[in-house]
Amino acid sequence: MTTDTLLVTALGTGIGIGACITLAGVILFFKQTEAGKRYLQDRLGPPAPDPSDS
């Protein structure tokens, strides 16, 4: 392995890990905060009724 290969591998790994952390943060934002829940409800509509309520 050359130095270039190691640097490119490290860069790619860093980008991948950063993307995963960002995605986790966005998911947590939408699930945990009122603003996130309100945004999803505005975009997707109200949640479906629970089938066990029937």
Side-chain angles (χ1 to χ4, degrees), residues 3-7 11-14 19 21 26-27 30 32-33 35-38 41-42 44 46-47 49-50 52 54:
T3 304
D4 288 344
T5 304
L6 291 174
L7 290 174
L11 179 63
T13 302
I21 291 171
V26 169
I27 290 170
F30 282 122
Q32 299 293 327
T33 64
K37 290 176 186 175
R38 193 167 49 247
Q41 189 170 1
D42 289 347
L44 303 176
D50 193 7
S52 63
S54 299

Side-chain angles (χ1 to χ4, degrees), residues 13-27:
T13 302
I15 290 172
I17 291 172
C20 289
I21 291 171
T22 302
L23 180 61
V26 169
I27 290 170

